[in-house]
Amino acid sequence: MPTVSSEELATAAGVNSAKLRKDFSYLGSYGTRGVGYDVEYLVYQISRELGLTQDWPVVIVGIGNLGAALANYGGFASRGFRVAALIDADPAMAGKPVAGLPVRHTDELESIISDNGVSIGVIATPAGAAQQVCDRLVAAGVTSILNFAPTVLSVPEGVDVRKVDLSIELQILAFHEQRKAGEENAPSPVPPRSGAAVRAASENRKGPDGDVPAVMPA
Amino acid sequence: MPTVSSEELATAAGVNSAKLRKDFSYLGSYGTRGVGYDVEYLVYQISRELGLTQDWPVVIVGIGNLGAALANYGGFASRGFRVAALIDADPAMAGKPVAGLPVRHTDELESIISDNGVSIGVIATPAGAAQQVCDRLVAAGVTSILNFAPTVLSVPEGVDVRKVDLSIELQILAFHEQRKAGEENAPSPVPPRSGAAVRAASENRKGPDGDVPAVMPA
DNA sequence: GTCTGTGAATACATTCACAGCC
DNA sequence: GGCTGTGAATGTATTCACAGAC
C-alpha cells in the first residue's frame, strides 16, 4: 500500500477525516491532492516529529516486579528507547541479570546518568524512596521523569514529571461500569452531564505541583 | 479543615476556580455561599459519583512480573477494588501465593468470574494470549477490560476496553524532551502548533476498534 | 464581607464544504 | 474524477463577572 487517503486513515482511527487532515497540516503539507499521503514518507515525518527517530537512553530505578516488567517490555525499543541501566538500592540485587542487563547499585546512579547522557528516568521504587531517587536523578541531569510510585514528586522548574497510577485506569472502567448498571433500571437521578467530567478523569493533566486531580481522594 | 473554597481547591489542582465550581455544579449544589464546600460531604459525594463507595471485585489474568506488580499494588483497595483472584495459564504457578493470594489456573476462569460476580478483568498476559483470554472473560460475563498486553483487543458492543501502553507515557516525555532540546539553539522550524496534537497523543481516546492512534507506528 | 452557582462572553476544537491541484 | 489543504461555520469548553445566599 504505497499511499493512503485521509478518509482511510480516519476510518481506521475512528475520527473525522477533516480533523485528520487538519492535524497533519500542522506538521506540513505532506500529502498530494487527488492521490493521498505517501505512506513511507508520512510515517517518517510523523516519527521524526514525535522523536521516534532519536535514541533515548533511559534508566529504570527500582527493580521490583514492576521495574522488571518494564525492563522486559518489548515496546520500548521500537519507539527509540534504550534501557541504559537498571538500578536498585538492594545490594543483593546488584549484578543479577534482569532482561539481559545486570542490575547496578544506586551508588552508581550519578555516573550511569552522565556516562550515558541519560535525560529520561523511570521511577518504579516504593513510595518512600521515590522523592529521594527523583532528587538524585534531577541533580545528575535528568529532565524528564516517569513516576510509577504512588507519590506526587516535587521537581524544580524545567523538569517534566508524568505520574502513572495503575489504579486510575481501573477507576475509569469502574465509573463507566457503574453507569451501565445504573441505566439498566432507573435513569440516573443526576442529569446527563457533558463529557468534560469523564474526560478530565482520564487525562493526565499537569498542574503546578503534580498531575493528580485534587478532587480525587487518596 | 472542615470547609474548603473553590479557590483553594482550584489552586491545589492547578485549574481555574470557575471551572472547578462549574464542574462541581454538574454533580449538584454541594457548597454553601459565603462559606465554601464541606470537605467531608464533598469527598463523600464525589466518591459516590466516581464509584469509590462500591466494592469492585476484579480478576488479574497473567501473573508474570506485571501481573504480580498489579497484585501487590496498594492503591486498589482504597479505591474500592478487591482482587478476587489471580489467574495464570502455567500449571506450575497454580497454588503459589502472590500478594497473599494463591494463583488459580485458567481452567477455573469461568467459575471464578461467576462465583464472585466479577465485571472487571485485567489482562497482563503476553500479547499472543490476550485475545483468547479476553474472549473467555467476556463470555463469562466481564464487561470492562483493562488491557496491558501490547495488542488491540476486539470485543463485542457493550464491553469497554482500556489499553495501557507503558511506553506511550515515555513517548510523551521524549516528545517534550525533544522540544526542550530544540528550543535551546534554533527556534523550531515548525510553527508552534496548538496543543491538540500533543494532547491527542496523551489521551486514551477510544475509536470504534480500539484506542490506539492510528498514526503511531508500532 | 465572602464565596457559590451560573448566565453571558470568550476561547478553543471540530466539522463542513469547496477551491485548487494532481 | 479524486483528494488535499484550509477558510468559514458550527459546536464545545473555559473563563468572566455578578446576582444571590450566607
Side-chain angles (χ1 to χ4, degrees):
Chain A
M1 194 170 190
T3 65
V4 66
S5 70
S6 62
E7 187 56 44
E8 290 170 289
L9 284 177
T11 302
V15 300
N16 183 292
S17 68
K19 175 166 169 25
L20 191 135
R21 288 200 299 280
K22 185 150 275 186
D23 280 6
F24 281 8
S25 77
Y26 289 118
L27 307 178
S29 291
Y30 298 141
T32 309
R33 293 171 185 219
V35 179
Y37 299 89
D38 181 85
V39 172
E40 193 181 355
Y41 186 56
L42 182 64
V43 165
Y44 169 71
Q45 289 297 344
I46 293 173
S47 298
R48 188 183 49 73
E49 184 71 23
L50 292 179
L52 297 173
T53 56
Q54 283 187 43
D55 173 65
W56 294 105
V58 303
V59 293
I60 301 174
V61 186
I63 313 302
N65 279 316
L66 182 58
L70 291 168
N72 281 301
Y73 185 67
F76 289 158
S78 64
R79 292 195 154 89
F81 298 106
R82 179 168 51 80
V83 178
L86 307 175
I87 303 175
D88 199 280
D90 181 0
M93 290 285 291
K96 270 178 68 176
V98 171
L101 285 173
V103 174
R104 315 270 293 269
H105 190 261
T106 320
D107 289 346
E108 302 179 77
L109 188 145
E110 284 77 10
S111 60
I112 293 169
I113 301 284
S114 69
D115 290 354
N116 293 278
V118 173
S119 56
I120 301 178
V122 178
I123 297 179
T125 64
Q131 182 64 56
Q132 196 189 337
V133 166
C134 173
D135 292 345
R136 287 182 65 179
L137 288 172
V138 170
V142 166
T143 48
S144 290
I145 289 178
L146 183 56
N147 178 31
F148 285 89
T151 333
V152 175
L153 297 174
S154 56
V155 291
E157 183 83 7
V159 175
D160 278 345
V161 178
R162 292 190 71 87
K163 183 168 185 286
V164 177
D165 180 337
L166 298 170
S167 71
I168 279 188
E169 295 290 326
L170 267 186
Q171 190 68 75
I172 295 165
L173 283 173
F175 178 78
H176 291 296
E177 192 66 31
Q178 175 178 239
R179 312 213 110 210
K180 282 187 215 168
E183 276 154 22
E184 272 165 30
N185 300 14
S188 172
V190 180
R193 73 188 52 72
S194 96
V198 178
R199 238 165 302 128
S202 61
E203 272 177 37
N204 203 337
R205 238 175 339 89
K206 182 113 187 316
D209 283 326
D211 54 3
V212 177
V215 294
M216 176 91 73
Chain B
M1 194 171 191
T3 65
V4 66
S5 71
S6 62
E7 188 55 45
E8 290 170 290
L9 283 176
T11 302
V15 300
N16 183 293
S17 69
K19 175 170 172 19
L20 192 135
R21 287 199 301 280
K22 184 149 276 189
D23 280 7
F24 280 8
S25 77
Y26 289 118
L27 307 179
S29 292
Y30 299 141
T32 309
R33 294 174 184 213
V35 179
Y37 298 89
D38 180 84
V39 171
E40 193 182 355
Y41 186 55
L42 182 65
V43 166
Y44 169 71
Q45 289 297 343
I46 293 173
S47 298
R48 189 182 47 74
E49 184 70 23
L50 292 178
L52 297 172
T53 55
Q54 284 186 44
D55 173 66
W56 294 106
V58 303
V59 294
I60 302 175
V61 186
I63 312 302
N65 279 316
L66 183 57
L70 291 169
N72 281 301
Y73 184 67
F76 289 158
S78 64
R79 290 194 156 89
F81 298 107
R82 179 168 51 81
V83 178
L86 307 175
I87 303 175
D88 199 280
D90 182 358
M93 289 287 289
K96 271 178 67 176
V98 171
L101 285 173
V103 174
R104 314 272 292 269
H105 189 261
T106 321
D107 290 345
E108 302 180 76
L109 188 144
E110 285 77 10
S111 60
I112 293 169
I113 302 285
S114 69
D115 289 355
N116 293 278
V118 173
S119 57
I120 301 178
V122 179
I123 297 179
T125 64
Q131 182 65 57
Q132 196 188 336
V133 166
C134 173
D135 292 344
R136 285 182 66 181
L137 288 172
V138 170
V142 165
T143 49
S144 290
I145 289 178
L146 183 57
N147 178 32
F148 286 90
T151 333
V152 174
L153 297 175
S154 56
V155 290
E157 182 82 9
V159 175
D160 278 347
V161 178
R162 292 190 72 88
K163 183 167 186 288
V164 177
D165 181 337
L166 298 170
S167 72
I168 279 188
E169 295 291 325
L170 267 186
Q171 189 68 75
I172 295 165
L173 282 173
F175 178 79
H176 291 295
E177 193 67 31
Q178 177 178 237
R179 312 214 110 209
K180 282 188 216 168
E183 277 153 22
E184 273 165 29
N185 300 13
S188 170
V190 180
R193 72 187 55 72
S194 98
V198 178
R199 240 166 302 130
S202 60
E203 271 177 40
N204 203 339
R205 238 181 333 96
K206 181 114 191 314
D209 285 326
D211 55 3
V212 177
V215 295
M216 177 90 75

